Amino acid sequence: MTADATRGALPGSIDDTGRLLAGQGYVADRALSTVVFLALRMGRPLLLEGEAGVGKTEVAKTLAAALGRRLIRLQCYEGLDLSAAVYEWNHAAQMIAIRLAEAAGESEKGAIAADIFSDRYLLRRPLLEALEPHAEGPPVLLVDELDRTDEAFEAFLLEVLSDHQVTIPELGTIKAAAPPIVILTSNRTREIHDALKRRCLYHWVDYPDAAREMEILRARLPDAPARLSAEVVAFVQALRKEDLFKVPGVAETLDWASALVELNAVSLDPGLVGDTLGVLLKYQDDIARTDAPRIERLIEEARQASRAAE
Amino acid sequence: MTTATAAEDGRLAENIAWFGRALRAAGLKVGPGRILDAVAAVEMAGVGAREDFYWTLHALFVSRHEDSVVFDQAFRLFWRRRAHQERLIAMLSPVAVPQREQKRESVLRRVEEALFAGVGTERQVEKPRVEVEARLSASVEDVLRTKDFAQMSAAELAEARRRIAHLRMPDDRARTRRLVPDPKGRRLDLRASLRAAVATGGDLVLLKRRGEREKPPPVVALVDISGSMADYSRPILSFLHALAARRKVSVFLFGTRLTNVTRQLARRDPDAALAAVSASARDWAGGTRIAASLRAFNVEWSRRVTAQNPVVLLFTDGLEREVDDTLPGEMARLKRSCRRLVWLNPLLRYEGFEPKAQGVAAMLPQVDEMRPVHDLKSLESLVAALSGPISRWSLPPPVRK
């Protein structure tokens, strides 16, 4: 089985899905593999919720890379509107076209209108781009941090997600021949509306357990010393059980591990942890609360846990 | 028991109707038509095994997956024994049953009135409360406006709630980042301008503009439902229910634990909403743990409901039994995550109120404003204050004649 043969083809089973993701260095648990498999098979959008830094966005990136599809990303923000999400007219070019038509003595209003509202002056934004045909197959559409938009935009998305079409008044309805693979992510800064949830498959992405986090670290930082990796994972796992405002995600674990590798560390010590705490914790309260005695206690716990794991 | 015994009573249909009403009080969408269908369906299916009966009713009464759990619990409670019916109704009814001994007489009366008003049970028939109605007349108009919620009878409370529902709601505005067509807007809308220009063949280019849309800022309310606040929680929830009809309102109850009741309060019918709210909080009229509750809010909910920079209304008397040093920190975090933090304190009804209690002293420096909420008049002034610009907290509160 060559890589080219499988490229572009959707996985045939849950196991295949897990392997597909693992091939790109994404270590998914069984629940995530299942829901990704179902979303691909059923052609339904997949809504991933979870704390920041647990790897929701990575799923879309990984899928795009593994299937050899284009990744089209729509980053959401407050005030996102159609001109930024779907399409915009190239007004400057349109103005010039009108002037030129005038200069050429064109007086037919209908012809001018038909010309300036044609494909030539259309600027495609992510959603429209995702509905257009692509040579390598339907793209992966990532609608990132959906919770940052307002309800109005969410309501607009319903049409795109269920019918795979958008309506441009001047051009008509544009419908995708082959629906894109849609991944939506949310950090739950607000609740997503039930109507949207109903159209999606839903999965809550949780922090990984120690074994899976170890696998992730191995896949991403193969050069890190084994002992350091084990201690880093055990320390972060212990830290997540502490009373913190924001516990570190997988992304922070990876950052911290690579920071420690940069510092040529082979093992954790209280001074080193204290100096690099800002990589793991992003709130001043949390950093202040994690003082020297606490760090020492956590390191001790981590050592015992990593020894027990061996 | 199997349902056969219920059928022997010849009261199966009546029981199904009661069950339907209980489910409705718990928030399911059960109309009279559904109840009739259910009776017919049970007759059609035959009164057989309990499981068949369960699924028959389930098929008729449950229309959303989330409701399945509620149905299951209600079913088990309801169809066990007759005595449980009353308890179930009591649990699901729109009253925070205060369990304090000293006020037994008045409380009993109020609970009775609230529970059985219009329900048509035997108990109500036995003890009509006509004299309460007689006390409410036009001449007591102003008395009612300034009467403390804690001193009101059930009828007066009902009247107060009716008036709360008709209060003029605050009219504050916050600019959003979404653009809408606006002739006085600051930005040019080239797209609209061009479309307009095409209509005139390019002879006349009328510039169209867009501006930021304004809408009322969302409100997040944290309502203390501990024993000392018990008399005020219901009118306050009525107020929030009325407010929620106009704008986005997230409501949390706290006593010894924090409960999100936003969804329950979103029911359109005020009685159904309050019923659902009181059914969902398990710590009515208990103790208070303000710091712990605020922390729970900050950690679990703050990021989710304060993203749009809301006005936070904190309803509490600030009487905390164990004040520790975490309270100011949690208050400060709450303050940082919102546009305006208003503390609504029924203790301000006392003229000589001074912020001496430890909890009050710890919280006061962190709020933008502290206002009374013990009567209709203070609610009116709250509305007025929310409509106006942000002011620093004031003590004593502004009195409007």
Side-chain angles (χ1 to χ4, degrees):
Chain A
M1 186 167 83
T2 64
D4 278 347
T6 59
R7 203 169 166 82
L10 297 182
S13 68
I14 298 170
D15 290 324
D16 281 354
T17 313
R19 275 195 290 276
L20 188 79
L21 294 173
Q24 298 293 322
Y26 191 97
V27 186
D29 57 12
R30 185 78 185 175
L32 182 63
S33 303
T34 308
V35 78
V36 167
F37 170 70
L38 288 175
L40 292 175
R41 276 283 132 156
M42 298 162 67
R44 297 280 286 277
L46 174 59
L47 172 61
L48 298 174
E49 277 195 334
E51 301 293 334
V54 290
K56 302 184 293 297
T57 305
E58 271 320 291
V59 173
K61 290 185 181 168
T62 308
L63 263 185
L67 296 172
R69 307 286 177 85
R70 228 187 108 189
L71 177 71
I72 296 174
R73 177 172 178 161
L74 176 65
Q75 173 65 50
C76 296
Y77 54 85
E78 203 193 335
L80 178 67
D81 59 5
L82 295 193
S83 61
V86 188
Y87 73 101
E88 178 66 297
W89 291 103
N90 188 344
H91 301 297
Q94 282 177 324
M95 285 289 189
I96 293 170
I98 292 174
R99 286 280 158 222
L100 287 176
E102 276 175 6
E106 183 101 40
S107 60
E108 184 63 45
K109 285 180 197 173
I112 297 180
D115 184 49
I116 68 163
F117 287 122
S118 68
D119 207 45
R120 262 161 70 200
Y121 303 102
L122 191 65
L123 300 175
R124 286 174 177 72
R125 304 288 190 222
L127 287 184
L128 187 55
E129 192 78 57
L131 298 179
E132 307 253 295
H134 292 259
E136 63 274 16
V140 175
L141 171 64
L142 167 64
V143 182
D144 213 8
E145 306 195 355
L146 179 64
D147 48 332
R148 288 181 185 274
T149 60
D150 50 13
E151 284 87 351
F153 185 76
E154 215 181 286
F156 165 77
L157 263 189
L158 292 178
E159 188 193 1
V160 178
L161 294 185
S162 53
D163 300 336
H164 315 293
Q165 63 179 38
V166 291
T167 305
I168 299 177
E170 297 88 349
L171 291 183
T173 302
I174 294 178
K175 191 170 168 63
I181 298 166
V182 184
I183 309 275
L184 306 120
T185 75
S186 161
N187 290 329
R188 283 218 299 178
T189 61
R190 75 177 170 80
E191 216 61 60
I192 304 298
H193 200 278
D194 288 349
L196 192 92
K197 280 191 167 178
R198 203 162 55 76
R199 285 163 173 80
C200 302
L201 299 185
Y202 175 85
H203 184 66
W204 174 260
V205 185
D206 216 338
Y207 296 111
D209 58 16
R212 197 161 74 85
E213 193 157 34
M214 195 63 215
E215 272 184 68
I216 295 170
L217 206 58
R218 261 193 226 118
R220 291 302 177 88
L221 286 175
D223 299 337
R227 183 178 163 200
L228 180 70
S229 300
E231 285 186 7
V232 161
V233 168
F235 185 89
V236 174
Q237 291 278 337
L239 194 60
R240 287 203 188 111
K241 294 194 187 84
E242 296 288 305
D243 181 25
L244 294 172
F245 190 62
K246 169 76 181 86
V247 299
V250 186
E252 276 78 27
T253 310
L254 291 171
D255 283 352
W256 194 44
S258 49
L260 294 176
V261 170
E262 288 299 318
L263 294 170
N264 293 321
V266 287
S267 162
L268 295 182
D269 70 72
L272 190 66
V273 174
D275 292 345
T276 53
L277 210 52
V279 183
L280 277 181
L281 301 174
K282 304 296 166 75
Y283 281 86
Q284 176 52 31
D285 293 0
D286 289 345
I287 293 176
R289 204 174 288 160
T290 311
D291 50 7
R294 196 182 200 181
I295 290 175
E296 275 174 36
R297 176 171 60 79
L298 284 170
I299 289 180
E300 191 45 47
E301 278 179 40
R303 291 242 164 83
Q304 282 170 7
S306 64
R307 248 179 255 129
E310 273 165 15
Chain B
M1 112 183 165
T2 66
T3 52
T5 33
E8 279 157 22
D9 291 347
R11 299 181 61 181
L12 182 59
E14 199 181 320
N15 277 322
I16 291 176
W18 273 103
F19 181 55
R21 294 177 77 113
L23 286 178
R24 193 187 308 154
L28 271 65
K29 289 203 169 58
V30 177
R34 271 298 158 109
I35 292 175
L36 287 178
D37 289 350
V39 173
V42 169
E43 275 172 7
M44 243 185 290
V47 180
R50 185 185 169 89
E51 200 186 347
D52 294 348
F53 184 61
Y54 178 96
W55 288 112
T56 308
L57 289 185
H58 189 280
L60 270 300
F61 287 142
V62 178
S63 51
R64 288 169 42 198
H65 178 60
E66 303 93 289
D67 293 343
S68 198
V69 188
V70 180
F71 176 86
D72 185 63
Q73 286 173 355
F75 185 89
R76 271 189 291 150
L77 203 58
F78 192 92
W79 296 100
R80 208 158 40 181
R81 261 192 289 128
R82 182 75 46 73
H84 286 283
Q85 294 175 21
E86 276 182 41
R87 234 185 77 209
L88 180 81
I89 295 159
M91 277 172 56
L92 298 172
S93 282
V95 66
V97 185
Q99 314 225 310
R100 285 180 300 170
E101 287 297 310
Q102 61 265 40
K103 280 196 179 175
R104 262 192 95 180
E105 179 49 34
S106 71
V107 162
L108 257 182
R109 196 188 66 201
R110 259 159 66 177
V111 169
E112 225 163 67
E113 284 172 0
L115 269 184
F116 301 109
V119 172
T121 62
E122 289 152 32
R123 287 173 72 179
Q124 200 211 15
V125 178
E126 281 166 18
K127 300 181 199 168
R129 292 276 172 192
V130 187
E131 77 280 4
V132 181
E133 298 297 329
R135 275 164 56 192
L136 197 72
S137 66
S139 62
V140 292
E141 180 81 2
D142 284 328
V143 181
L144 192 63
R145 240 183 111 228
T146 52
K147 189 163 187 178
D148 197 297
F149 289 132
Q151 258 109 56
M152 288 185 181
S153 70
E156 285 171 325
L157 266 182
E159 172 65 11
R161 277 178 53 193
R162 197 186 62 77
R163 289 201 200 177
I164 285 171
H166 290 97
L167 267 184
R168 175 200 291 272
M169 285 297 158
D171 186 30
D172 47 343
R173 305 255 129 191
R175 205 171 264 179
T176 67
R177 302 204 36 203
R178 183 167 279 274
L179 300 174
V180 290
D182 175 4
K184 290 179 196 154
R186 295 185 301 148
R187 301 173 195 223
L188 275 184
D189 188 351
L190 280 175
R191 181 171 161 197
S193 306
L194 257 174
R195 293 197 70 182
V198 165
T200 63
D203 293 339
L204 184 64
V205 178
L206 288 172
L207 289 182
K208 304 276 181 181
R209 294 178 171 274
R210 292 199 296 172
E212 285 107 341
R213 187 175 67 176
E214 291 189 337
K215 65 175 189 183
V219 168
V220 174
L222 300 166
V223 183
D224 187 341
I225 51 165
S226 62
S228 54
M229 290 285 290
D231 293 323
Y232 301 100
S233 329
R234 276 190 72 198
I236 287 167
L237 286 171
S238 298
F239 171 72
L240 292 171
H241 180 265
L243 189 64
R246 313 292 177 84
R247 64 169 78 189
K248 200 175 164 185
V249 179
S250 310
V251 184
F252 296 83
L253 305 181
F254 70 92
T256 49
R257 36 178 282 174
L258 187 78
T259 318
N260 184 353
V261 294
T262 307
R263 273 190 182 231
Q264 286 82 344
L265 205 68
R267 306 247 154 85
R268 187 154 301 181
D269 181 62
D271 292 322
L274 288 195
V277 166
S278 43
S280 56
R282 266 170 279 165
D283 51 348
W284 283 100
T288 328
R289 285 165 63 218
I290 299 178
S293 302
L294 286 182
R295 176 159 182 79
F297 175 80
N298 283 336
V299 171
E300 286 162 30
W301 290 98
S302 179
R303 288 190 198 86
R304 292 162 64 180
V305 298
T306 63
Q308 288 156 322
N309 207 5
V311 174
V312 173
L313 303 177
L314 178 62
F315 293 91
T316 178
D317 50 17
L319 297 183
E320 161 99 290
R321 238 163 265 158
E322 310 136 26
V323 178
D324 55 14
D325 49 359
T326 61
L327 187 53
E330 298 301 338
M331 280 297 285
R333 188 180 286 285
L334 181 62
K335 165 98 168 65
R336 283 202 301 273
S337 60
C338 65
R339 133 187 350 253
R340 183 176 177 188
L341 176 56
V342 184
W343 181 0
L344 299 158
N345 189 343
L347 285 184
L348 289 184
R349 68 186 182 275
Y350 299 119
E351 286 203 357
F353 174 78
E354 280 179 60
K356 275 185 183 156
Q358 259 184 308
V360 181
M363 290 160 71
L364 201 50
Q366 304 295 344
V367 301
D368 290 312
E369 200 176 346
M370 180 155 84
R371 311 188 65 87
V373 273
H374 59 283
D375 56 11
L376 280 174
K377 200 176 154 193
S378 51
L379 276 181
E380 284 166 16
S381 79
L382 166 66
V383 168
L386 283 180
S387 307
I390 296 176
S391 60
R392 288 301 301 171
W393 61 273
S394 46
L395 197 86
V399 179
R400 287 194 318 153
K401 282 286 167 189

